[in-house]
Amino acid sequence: MEKRKKNSGIFIVTLILIVTLFTASIIKTNMYNKKRHQETYAGSSLFTSEEVNNEVNVRLIPRNSTWEKIFDLNNEGLTESNYQAYTYDIVVSNDTTDQVLDYSMKLTFSNDLFLASAWNGSLEIHQNVNDEETVALIPDLRQFVPSEYDLETFTVDGESFIFLHTGDYFVYTPSATMNAKEMPIEPYETSTPGIILYVAIGENIEESSLEIDYSFHKTLVHEPLFWISMVGSFFWLIAAVFYAVLSIQEKKFNERLERDNEIINESIETFTGFIDAKDQYTNGHSKRVAIYTKMIAEELGYEGEELDRIYYTALLHDCGKIGVPDNILSKPGKLTKEEFEIIKSHTIRGGEILKSFKSLKDVEKGSLYHHERYDGHGYPEGLAGEEIPLIARMICVADSFDAMNSNRVYRKKLTKEYILNELEVNKGKQFDPRFADIMLKLIHEGKIKMVD
């Protein structure tokens, strides 16, 4: 019954998640559509027929046909043309699956010139004269009447031109009317408004820059979260139909998994029992170290399968001693240098034994590195600080504590006062200070019992 309630809860939570994803797809689409995008083009990236790798590309492409006029700005009686007209198509390409909406372009000029015409949109002119900026909004430049605007203009052959100095700019907002529809730009389509400029002969405007500001209109079907929620709904329905069958299969699987875990646990404990049995003084050492290490890990917030993995890794930390001769392990006197090297080799032996144990991730690191010291003076590799795997640093404290708190062939167990002092003074030397502090805390709180 409890399991059935749990599964029902999973179905409800899954359904809530699907609804949440669907709602998120709507919210995400709306937020995306509200976001403003900006791109800047200048020099060769603007005056080119090639597209750059952007979602929206803008190019200023001049037409071949040009003509010339005389702009006698200082009434010098000029008789030869000194300005040439350029007709530019402003090609705006939408290379996305979404519509481009509500876009505008700011074109800033690199030299003095005259604006003659622009079409399919309105212009907001920003003109600087005598260090004062004049701003004028012109709905349609083809119907421009100079007297209606406070702008600096120049008239040639009865035609009025807007004088734009270096650094002056205009903001072009495209038309959305049916007669001159430049907006929105459909997916993989282009919009091509245009302007006519007069530039001094021999000069060009290729150092000018253009900034485009725009937003996208994405439909819900182009949002991945929408399809994830739809696919989730489909599979949720299938899961609901086959719920009874899956429940039976899950029950059988869990029973088999529980049996497998029991076998693994019993096998590991039996194996470590063989190791501890080699020396009556260290009998139970592996299990106690595993328990202490698990307690340290719990204080760090570990739980579930990860906590079990830490326990099993600590349980196997001394497995390399299976290859150490009994006469060395049980020797009551001081070890020779050669005998000590054999003892030390149990870390490497353990690492080799456990290397092929793939069921427990990194299990060999506990055996290989639990005699490394935090100050770098341990063995077998002389690792220091954070270089030592975390599991090995936890086992190091637990292993040393149990060694001091147990009778050994060469000495009786040490006093509580001595052990606490050793844990304290060896923080940052033999032990990771954090784990030594946790061990001291567990002892002071009575979670780890010590009897003098």
Side-chain angles (χ1 to χ4, degrees), residues 189-207:
E189 297 290 339
T190 60
S191 170
T192 313
I195 55 174
I196 298 176
L197 305 172
Y198 277 86
V199 182
I201 294 175
E203 296 182 4
N204 61 62
I205 62 168
E206 293 189 0
E207 295 301 320

Side-chain angles (χ1 to χ4, degrees), residues 62-66 87:
R63 297 182 187 177
N64 292 330
S65 58
T66 60
T87 302

Side-chain angles (χ1 to χ4, degrees), residues 17-269:
L17 178 61
I18 291 170
V19 173
T20 302
L21 285 174
F22 179 73
T23 305
S25 69
I26 297 174
I27 295 172
K28 187 178 178 183
T29 300
N30 289 336
M31 291 179 63
Y32 178 79
N33 289 341
K34 290 178 181 179
K35 182 181 178 180
R36 302 299 300 179
H37 303 262
Q38 291 86 29
E39 300 285 349
T40 300
Y41 297 83
S44 59
S45 66
L46 178 61
F47 295 89
T48 178
S49 59
E50 302 291 332
E51 290 187 4
V52 296
N53 189 26
N54 288 336
E55 293 178 326
V56 174
N57 289 290
V58 184
R59 292 160 291 155
L60 247 61
I61 302 177
R63 297 182 187 177
N64 292 330
S65 58
T66 60
W67 57 96
E68 300 175 351
K69 282 186 180 294
I70 300 173
F71 282 76
D72 193 357
L73 302 176
N74 299 316
N75 295 320
E76 299 172 327
L78 300 177
T79 57
E80 293 184 2
S81 300
N82 60 346
Y83 276 77
Q84 185 173 14
Y86 288 90
T87 302
Y88 285 95
D89 289 321
I90 308 175
V91 181
V92 185
S93 303
N94 176 14
D95 296 329
T96 71
T97 57
D98 308 317
Q99 283 185 330
V100 173
L101 288 180
D102 190 25
Y103 76 92
S104 62
M105 294 179 287
K106 175 184 175 182
L107 186 55
T108 305
F109 296 101
S110 59
N111 47 335
D112 294 352
L113 49 81
F114 293 91
L115 176 62
S117 183
W119 51 90
N120 295 355
S122 63
L123 293 181
E124 182 182 277
I125 306 293
H126 290 253
Q127 188 184 70
N128 195 305
V129 180
N130 298 325
D131 295 328
E132 292 187 4
E133 184 180 42
T134 299
V135 180
L137 179 62
I138 306 174
D140 189 341
L141 193 61
R142 292 171 296 183
Q143 301 174 6
F144 175 63
V145 178
S147 60
E148 296 178 359
Y149 299 91
D150 189 19
L151 291 171
E152 183 181 0
T153 61
F154 194 80
T155 303
V156 178
D157 299 333
E159 185 179 359
S160 296
F161 304 91
I162 298 174
F163 194 2
L164 294 176
H165 302 272
T166 301
D168 287 351
Y169 64 92
F170 64 74
V171 178
Y172 167 83
T173 302
S175 172
T177 64
M178 293 305 298
N179 292 332
K181 191 171 183 179
E182 301 291 348
M183 185 170 60
I185 308 176
E186 298 299 327
Y188 303 108
E189 297 290 339
T190 60
S191 170
T192 313
I195 55 174
I196 298 176
L197 305 172
Y198 277 86
V199 182
I201 294 175
E203 296 182 4
N204 61 62
I205 62 168
E206 293 189 0
E207 295 301 320
S208 301
S209 64
L210 184 145
E211 300 173 35
I212 183 170
D213 181 278
Y214 59 94
S215 63
F216 285 116
H217 177 70
K218 176 189 285 187
T219 57
L220 196 58
V221 295
H222 287 132
E223 172 51 50
L225 285 180
F226 169 77
W227 289 109
I228 293 173
S229 65
M230 292 297 100
V231 172
S233 300
F234 173 75
F235 283 107
W236 186 87
L237 290 173
I238 293 176
V241 172
F242 291 99
Y243 173 71
V245 175
L246 293 176
S247 296
I248 294 172
Q249 293 178 342
E250 183 183 6
K251 181 180 179 181
K252 291 181 179 180
F253 173 79
N254 287 336
E255 289 175 352
R256 186 169 61 251
L257 182 63
E258 186 175 345
R259 287 197 301 271
D260 291 344
N261 285 337
E262 288 177 358
I263 292 171
I264 291 173
N265 186 42
E266 290 172 359
S267 299
I268 293 174
E269 289 194 357

